[in-house]
Amino acid sequence: MVNPLLLNRNSIDAPSSICGKCHLTATGRSYKNAIAQPKQREPLIKFIGQVELRNHRRVYYQNDSYRVEQINPTREQVTYSYDIPDKAVDYLYNQLNGCIVTPEEASTVLKPVAKNLNLPFTCGHKLDYYAQEVLVVLVALGKASLSKEGRRYFYTIA
């Protein structure tokens, strides 16, 4: 007898001692329906651009949010990522249009509406980092430009 733990459940050719049809029926799916159902499409992930600060950041868009991934340039490995709702990007753009700001200044603009926009941080230094990632999205979209003075970055919102 074949050990059921060693079987690949995705295999159509089930051994005669264990009926694949019975297994699928026991789980609430018929054998015919399991094969006939088309796979659902994954949401499209669109690459927006790459911004270089001290580390590289890649910006993607999926559904109604942006994803900013920090990439370690020596290993080409993602070290962290933030998901940013497009509402937060639009809000910051509308509030700071025509201004030159730092991430700390941008976080003071986001702080009063952080809960309403469902941001993961509502105050403190983590909101500063989050605001910087929102500004990185604006740079990747071409709605802002980036300049560096010493170790500090300034964002000009166009």
Side-chain angles (χ1 to χ4, degrees):
M1 182 162 180
V2 177
N3 184 350
L5 297 175
L6 298 176
L7 289 176
N8 180 357
R9 289 187 178 176
N10 295 327
S11 174
I12 294 175
D13 299 325
S16 59
S17 61
I18 297 179
C19 178
K21 185 175 183 179
C22 295
H23 170 73
L24 289 170
T25 305
T27 59
R29 300 178 303 197
S30 71
Y31 189 69
K32 189 175 187 181
N33 289 340
I35 295 173
Q37 291 178 341
K39 291 183 179 179
Q40 292 181 352
R41 285 190 170 178
E42 302 243 346
L44 291 175
I45 299 173
K46 182 180 176 186
F47 177 73
I48 303 298
Q50 182 167 315
V51 179
E52 295 186 22
L53 301 174
R54 288 185 197 101
N55 290 317
H56 304 291
R57 286 171 171 77
R58 292 185 185 148
V59 180
Y60 300 91
Y61 184 77
Q62 179 180 5
N63 293 338
D64 55 355
S65 67
Y66 294 93
R67 172 165 282 192
V68 178
E69 295 180 345
Q70 180 177 334
I71 308 296
N72 183 335
T74 57
R75 293 189 205 160
E76 282 296 315
Q77 181 180 11
V78 175
T79 55
Y80 76 85
S81 65
Y82 281 117
D83 290 326
I84 301 169
D86 57 359
K87 293 176 188 176
V89 175
D90 293 338
Y91 179 80
L92 197 64
Y93 176 73
N94 292 331
Q95 294 297 311
L96 298 176
N97 197 1
C99 298
I100 299 173
V101 295
T102 63
E104 293 81 15
E105 294 166 341
S107 72
T108 60
V109 173
L110 285 176
K111 187 175 182 176
V113 295
K115 283 188 179 180
N116 294 341
L117 295 175
N118 294 324
L119 302 183
F121 311 107
T122 56
C123 62
H125 70 281
K126 289 189 177 184
L127 184 60
D128 294 345
Y129 293 128
Y130 193 81
Q132 178 170 337
E133 302 308 326
V134 176
L135 291 168
V136 165
V137 171
L138 288 173
V139 171
L141 290 170
K143 295 182 176 182
S145 61
L146 177 67
S147 61
K148 182 178 179 182
E149 291 181 23
R151 291 179 53 107
R152 188 167 208 117
Y153 289 96
F154 293 90
Y155 298 84
T156 304
I157 313 299

